[in-house]
């Protein structure tokens, strides 16, 4: 497929609408989650092809722990299976895979799988794929503040600016997203990258996540290409 006119450094996606997609077909919600994995794969292929350096996916929020146990278990199982299943593909396409979020809430088994895949792909340089798992923006800011407070206690003479603070976030070393796409018609952040999205461009689409494939991804990036990013300055 033809590359979009501008290639963002970091594209992030709030993958939403799996449940509704399944419901429309008279199926269980998890069926939508299954199909959603195919959309992740499609986006991943575009990133490799178009040389997008960073792509991140909001896969499970801290709030999502409040869903029925059966759905949470199915999602976690699906995530583990998808990661393991994609490992060869990651190597083939030189993809560095990362999971960011409150890892302490994940099961020991899932954490072991994540560690294995992250370690196995850590030196890949093609593109970085990040899965935000058990993540929330407020959690991230709080854990960063806690670490910064600790350093401040040990070095009371120091002063910290926004740039210093960002190094305590779990996204340290990863550029802030240029483009954030949310599917399924919802127009909110749902506690995603609150700090990191200060100057992000937002594209909202009514397409449900399992229907979001290469063409929709291309269109979202084309919309981003037409935006005038001023960062508070005058042209
Ligand atoms: C997104 O789809 C996946 C997760 C949040 C894990 P949803 O499961 O939120 O689907 P809808 O929004 O209920 O349709
Ligand atoms: C946001 O979707 C979280 C993820 C996509 C992982 P939700 O479906 O949980 O968000 P709300 O509840 O509609 O805000
Ligand atoms: Mg939803």
């Amino acid at each position: 497929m033809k590359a979009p006119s501008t290639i963002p450094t970091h594209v992030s996606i709030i993958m939403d609408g799996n449940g509704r997609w399944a419901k429309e077909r008279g199926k269980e919600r998890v069926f939508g989650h299954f199909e959603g994995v195919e959309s992740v794969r499609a986006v991943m292929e575009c990133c490799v092809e178009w040389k997008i350096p960073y792509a991140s996916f909001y896969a499970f929020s801290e709030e999502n722990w409040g869903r029925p146990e059966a759905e949470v278990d199915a999602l976690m199982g699906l995530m583990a299976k998808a990661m393991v299943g994609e490992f060869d593909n990651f190597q083939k396409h030189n993809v560095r895979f990362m999971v960011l979020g409150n890892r302490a809430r994940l099961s020991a088994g899932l954490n072991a799988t994540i560690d294995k895949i992250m370690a196995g792909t850590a030196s890949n340089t093609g593109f970085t794929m990040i899965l935000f798992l058990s993540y929330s923006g407020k959690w991230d800011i709080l854990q960063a503040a806690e670490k910064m407070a600790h350093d401040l206690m040990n070095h009371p003479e120091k002063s910290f600016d926004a740039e210093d603070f960002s190094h305590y976030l779990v996204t340290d070393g990863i550029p802030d997203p240029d483009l954030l796409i949310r599917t399924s018609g919802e127009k909110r952040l749902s506690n995603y990258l609150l700090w990191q999205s200060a100057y992000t461009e937002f594209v909202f689409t009514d397409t449900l996540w399992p229907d979001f494939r290469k063409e929709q991804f291309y269109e979202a990036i084309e919309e981003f290409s037409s935006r005038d990013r001023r960062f508070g300055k005058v042209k």
Side-chain angles (χ1 to χ4, degrees), residues 94-149:
N94 197 16
V95 178
R96 174 168 70 138
F97 177 77
M98 296 173 87
V99 169
L100 297 177
N102 190 354
R103 296 270 309 264
R105 294 186 76 173
L106 304 179
S107 73
L110 181 57
N111 270 321
T113 302
I114 293 168
D115 283 339
K116 217 166 110 189
I117 296 177
M118 281 180 63
T121 64
S123 55
N124 290 352
T125 53
F127 104 93
T128 301
M129 165 165 180
I130 304 150
L131 210 57
F132 283 93
L133 203 52
S134 190
Y135 180 86
S136 87
K138 287 189 181 179
W139 165 81
D140 195 3
I141 291 167
L142 272 177
Q143 66 80 34
E146 211 173 300
K147 285 191 273 180
M148 194 178 82

Side-chain angles (χ1 to χ4, degrees), residues 14-23 29-30 32-33 58-61 64 67 71 75 79 182-184 186 188 208-210:
I14 300 179
M15 311 181 282
D16 200 10
N18 295 353
R20 278 162 283 170
W21 188 91
K23 201 176 163 208
R29 295 175 54 83
V30 332
H33 299 318
Y58 200 11
F60 194 89
S61 70
N64 289 149
R67 292 192 178 193
E71 183 174 343
L75 272 166
M79 233 101 61
R182 184 169 187 152
T183 58
S184 87
E186 310 298 352
R188 51 178 170 261
L208 303 174
W209 178 247

Side-chain angles (χ1 to χ4, degrees), residues 6-222:
T6 311
I7 299 299
T9 301
H10 180 179
V11 182
S12 194
I13 305 180
I14 300 179
M15 311 181 282
D16 200 10
N18 295 353
R20 278 162 283 170
W21 188 91
K23 201 176 163 208
E24 276 177 4
R25 284 157 182 78
K27 307 235 184 181
E28 296 286 323
R29 295 175 54 83
V30 332
F31 186 70
H33 299 318
F34 272 113
E35 199 56 31
V37 176
E38 292 307 316
S39 300
V40 176
R41 192 169 291 126
V43 167
M44 215 174 82
E45 281 172 19
C46 290
C47 293
V48 170
E49 200 179 316
W50 302 337
K51 299 190 167 45
I52 294 175
Y54 295 86
S56 56
F57 302 85
Y58 200 11
F60 194 89
S61 70
E62 283 269 88
E63 288 76 13
N64 289 149
W65 287 111
R67 292 192 178 193
E69 205 181 313
E71 183 174 343
V72 171
D73 289 349
L75 272 166
M76 293 300 156
L78 182 66
M79 233 101 61
K81 200 170 151 243
M83 276 175 224
V84 174
E86 284 306 304
F87 185 74
D88 288 346
N89 243 340
F90 292 152
Q91 302 301 35
K92 187 174 152 207
H93 295 296
N94 197 16
V95 178
R96 174 168 70 138
F97 177 77
M98 296 173 87
V99 169
L100 297 177
N102 190 354
R103 296 270 309 264
R105 294 186 76 173
L106 304 179
S107 73
L110 181 57
N111 270 321
T113 302
I114 293 168
D115 283 339
K116 217 166 110 189
I117 296 177
M118 281 180 63
T121 64
S123 55
N124 290 352
T125 53
F127 104 93
T128 301
M129 165 165 180
I130 304 150
L131 210 57
F132 283 93
L133 203 52
S134 190
Y135 180 86
S136 87
K138 287 189 181 179
W139 165 81
D140 195 3
I141 291 167
L142 272 177
Q143 66 80 34
E146 211 173 300
K147 285 191 273 180
M148 194 178 82
H150 186 262
D151 283 352
L152 195 56
M153 265 185 333
N154 293 326
H155 302 278
E157 76 291 350
K158 265 195 175 166
S159 73
F160 292 83
D161 62 15
E163 168 67 21
D164 297 323
F165 183 77
S166 70
H167 294 302
Y168 293 98
L169 296 165
V170 293
T171 48
D172 181 32
I174 293 154
D176 288 344
D178 302 290
L179 164 63
L180 176 66
I181 302 166
R182 184 169 187 152
T183 58
S184 87
E186 310 298 352
K187 292 171 186 70
R188 51 178 170 261
L189 265 179
S190 299
N191 210 352
Y192 192 34
L193 298 167
L194 301 179
W195 175 281
Q196 298 88 338
S197 63
Y199 267 102
T200 299
E201 294 295 328
F202 294 85
V203 169
F204 298 103
T205 166
D206 288 338
T207 306
L208 303 174
W209 178 247
D211 289 329
F212 190 93
R213 297 292 161 91
K214 293 184 175 184
E215 196 182 311
Q216 289 76 16
F217 189 46
Y218 175 88
E219 264 159 34
I221 301 179
E222 279 304 63

